Amino acid sequence: MQYTRTVEALKQGTVIDHIPAGQGLTILRLFRLADSGERVTVGLNLSSRHMGSKDIIKVENIALSEEQANELALFAPRATVNVIENFEVVKKHPLTLPEAIEGIFACPNSNCISHTESVNSYFYVKPSHNDTKMKCKYCEKVFSKDIVAEVR
Amino acid sequence: MPNPLYRKHIISIPDFSRAELELVVATAARLKAAPRDDLLQGRLVASCFFEPSTRTRLSFETAVQRLGGRVIGFADGGNTSAKKGETLADTVRIISSYTDAMVMRHPKEGAARLASEFSAVPIINGGDGSNQHPTQTLLDLFSIVETQGTMENLSIAFVGDLKYGRTVHSLTQALSLFNCRFFFVSPEALAMPEYLCQELDEKGINYTFSNSLEDVIPEVDILYMTRVQRERFDEAEFKKIQGKFVLRAEMLAQARPNMKILHPLPRVDEIETAVDATPYAYYFEQARNGVFARQALLALVLNETV
């Protein structure tokens, strides 16, 4: 029987799998995965036994840190992040929501001081019902995570 | 052991513990009863107002000088190096290297928190955009304790613009540490923000929404009035709500004998001047208390023991 992989196997790098379909490009953009110059393979709307359809991102030669993986949890809490060496999974990052996120998103409040000074943005993360709230360390305004993600 | 506020930045009310709020209020009461002119002797405080303010700036500067300290600073950011494009971080680095503490007001939200990250001396937030104005809350709390003998288990109505009113937001955050019950009286468009109500829910605080000022008056110990700004509404909308959130002397017939009316000022027309002569009016004394609350804070931040 012939077996075809839909996405080419990775020798070394990181595979972010089980991303809800439609979120793949958002994650690519927010985490600037394409900016490294390394080869990135993106699969959109792939069929998945558990999820119906899913997105997948493979980044060559870059091992995502645990902190970065946790930041992913905001968008894709059930995603799996596997670090690959020599075609083998050497580390599986379990995703847990981080307590704070630094430097990834811009504050949606246009009058926040973080926009005009050379500081990293900084949000405290708090799960709330079926949403996640983010509170800016500087202006103290509270936003739904989707609003924060849209801004950048 | 030094007092818990010694050399601390004063940025935001949620940073305060219950005990710290009580300490400031008790110190303000002591300084009002027995003035001291030595607590800031030999100290220099910067008063940096990047945005103009009358009461806050003058009461801070009065507080410093009454305690024997000296003040440098500016009343308007227009004449400073900020105008030349210097970052706030750099301005703060320099001014904090000259002085023992820095009081600042700034038009941008988060300016005081940012300043605290670059300052060698305590930063005291005198207002950062629409965000926080912690010393207003401290003088409100002092006025509440002065008139009610406690901050605990009181019923408090907030009236007017509860959506944009930062004094209302900070005061509810502070009082939620003392198990108070709240009544929110406002036009629907200026209701208390959802995220603050959620914070109150999480703390198990009781609160009620109402659109009748008259119904609420007999229920409360403190009536905290704020201004509804005309420019937040179009003309037709404003006509509908006009007068509904104005306090008139005859509405006070059913008020509790201990009830006091507070207002952060400036007042425009939301409290009729006839109310001023009633025993319930406390807003002018509250404004005077600003000096004592700020004295207390400066004394605690700059002295190990007071």
Side-chain angles (χ1 to χ4, degrees):
Chain A
M1 194 173 86
Q2 195 176 1
Y3 180 79
T4 316
R5 292 175 191 272
T6 44
V7 182
E8 194 186 346
L10 191 67
K11 184 176 180 206
Q12 184 153 320
T14 304
V15 179
I16 307 167
D17 200 355
H18 304 108
I19 300 167
Q23 294 277 20
L25 290 179
T26 308
I27 288 171
L28 200 68
R29 178 172 60 90
L30 287 174
F31 294 88
R32 298 189 171 157
L33 296 172
D35 293 1
S36 63
E38 295 291 346
R39 186 157 65 161
V40 178
T41 318
V42 182
L44 302 178
N45 302 322
L46 307 184
S47 59
S48 156
R49 253 182 302 160
H50 301 296
M51 304 173 65
S53 63
K54 64 173 185 181
D55 293 349
I56 188 169
I57 300 172
K58 299 186 175 198
V59 191
E60 261 180 50
N61 298 323
I62 289 179
L64 231 57
S65 69
E66 193 172 319
E67 196 188 344
Q68 287 169 307
N70 286 340
E71 285 163 354
L72 273 174
L74 269 184
F75 301 92
R78 277 186 284 274
T80 50
V81 178
N82 294 337
V83 179
I84 313 284
E85 270 173 32
N86 219 1
F87 299 107
E88 298 283 333
V89 176
V90 293
K91 190 164 178 51
K92 275 182 184 284
H93 285 302
L95 298 194
T96 47
L97 212 53
E99 279 180 15
I101 289 198
E102 189 174 356
I104 294 189
F105 310 100
C107 181
N109 170 15
S110 60
N111 200 42
C112 177
I113 193 79
S114 63
H115 297 295
T116 46
E117 299 282 321
S118 57
V119 289
N120 278 338
S121 73
Y122 194 100
F123 293 92
Y124 301 103
V125 179
K126 207 172 113 194
S128 152
H129 307 292
N130 43 10
D131 187 16
T132 302
K133 298 281 187 200
M134 295 173 68
K135 181 176 185 174
C136 173
K137 175 175 79 166
Y138 294 103
C139 73
E140 303 185 28
K141 300 254 180 295
V142 179
F143 307 95
S144 150
K145 76 163 196 314
D146 296 333
I147 291 172
V148 179
E150 246 170 46
V151 178
R152 197 172 103 179
Chain B
M1 208 172 73
N3 85 74
L5 295 174
Y6 180 56
R7 299 199 56 78
K8 287 267 175 71
H9 299 293
I10 306 298
I11 308 299
S12 177
I13 286 297
D15 298 344
F16 279 82
S17 69
R18 209 187 123 102
E20 287 166 349
L21 293 174
E22 287 170 333
L23 175 66
V24 176
V25 167
T27 308
R30 266 168 44 211
L31 291 173
K32 188 172 182 178
R36 296 273 300 264
D37 61 6
D38 57 335
L39 287 170
L40 294 190
Q41 202 89 60
R43 305 302 182 93
L44 184 59
V45 175
S47 163
C48 303
F49 281 68
F50 295 87
E51 182 182 66
S53 142
T54 319
R55 275 178 315 278
T56 304
R57 183 174 64 83
L58 291 180
S59 72
F60 260 120
E61 295 183 3
T62 304
V64 173
Q65 303 208 29
R66 291 269 189 215
L67 291 174
R70 282 177 298 167
V71 180
I72 59 161
F74 48 88
D76 178 354
N79 296 322
T80 67
S81 51
K83 208 61 185 178
K84 299 176 192 159
E86 185 177 50
T87 62
L88 178 62
D90 284 1
T91 307
V92 167
R93 273 191 186 108
I94 306 304
I95 295 174
S96 77
S97 74
Y98 298 162
T99 55
D100 299 303
M102 185 172 165
V103 174
M104 64 176 278
R105 166 168 289 194
H106 197 281
K108 287 197 183 265
E109 288 98 52
R113 180 80 64 193
L114 180 123
S116 73
E117 294 174 353
F118 294 92
S119 171
V121 298
I123 297 286
I124 297 176
N125 187 3
D128 61 323
S130 69
N131 182 33
Q132 282 272 328
H133 189 5
T135 58
Q136 175 70 46
T137 305
L138 296 171
L139 78 90
D140 291 343
L141 292 175
F142 174 40
S143 303
I144 290 172
V145 172
E146 202 174 40
T147 58
Q148 310 298 324
T150 178
M151 296 185 257
E152 204 97 39
N153 302 321
L154 297 171
S155 288
I156 299 178
F158 292 93
V159 183
D161 181 350
L162 310 187
K163 182 174 180 188
Y164 299 100
R166 64 181 175 189
T167 59
V168 171
H169 302 167
S170 304
L171 188 54
T172 50
Q173 285 171 329
L175 289 170
S176 66
L177 300 175
F178 296 92
N179 197 35
C180 289
R181 188 194 193 305
F182 300 131
F183 295 86
F184 297 131
V185 186
S186 73
E188 223 177 294
L190 297 178
M192 200 67 179
E194 173 77 28
Y195 76 93
L196 283 166
C197 293
Q198 262 182 31
E199 274 182 33
L200 296 176
D201 289 338
E202 283 164 18
K203 292 180 184 157
I205 300 295
N206 257 322
Y207 60 91
T208 314
F209 294 97
S210 167
N211 56 12
S212 164
L213 181 51
E214 227 157 349
D215 289 354
V216 161
I217 288 172
E219 307 285 326
V220 299
D221 304 303
I222 293 285
L223 188 61
Y224 196 98
M225 299 291 300
T226 66
R227 187 156 52 100
V228 173
Q229 287 170 280
R230 201 187 190 106
E231 52 271 26
R232 303 235 187 259
F233 295 89
D234 67 41
E235 204 51 37
E237 249 188 313
F238 189 76
K239 281 228 164 69
K240 261 193 262 166
I241 63 142
Q242 198 173 19
K244 274 188 85 173
F245 304 94
V246 172
L247 182 63
R248 295 184 304 276
E250 65 267 24
M251 294 162 87
L252 296 165
Q254 303 295 317
R256 295 176 180 176
N258 65 309
M259 195 276 267
K260 290 287 181 261
I261 303 158
L262 300 181
H263 190 304
L265 306 185
R267 157 183 67 172
V268 182
D269 50 12
E270 59 279 9
I271 303 177
E272 277 192 352
T273 50
V275 176
D276 300 358
T278 69
Y280 305 108
Y282 207 72
Y283 28 92
F284 296 122
E285 188 60 21
Q286 175 195 6
R288 180 168 167 254
N289 280 343
V291 174
F292 303 112
R294 291 180 176 112
Q295 279 185 20
L297 194 62
L298 286 158
L300 290 163
V301 166
L302 289 171
N303 293 282
E304 277 194 53
T305 53
V306 177

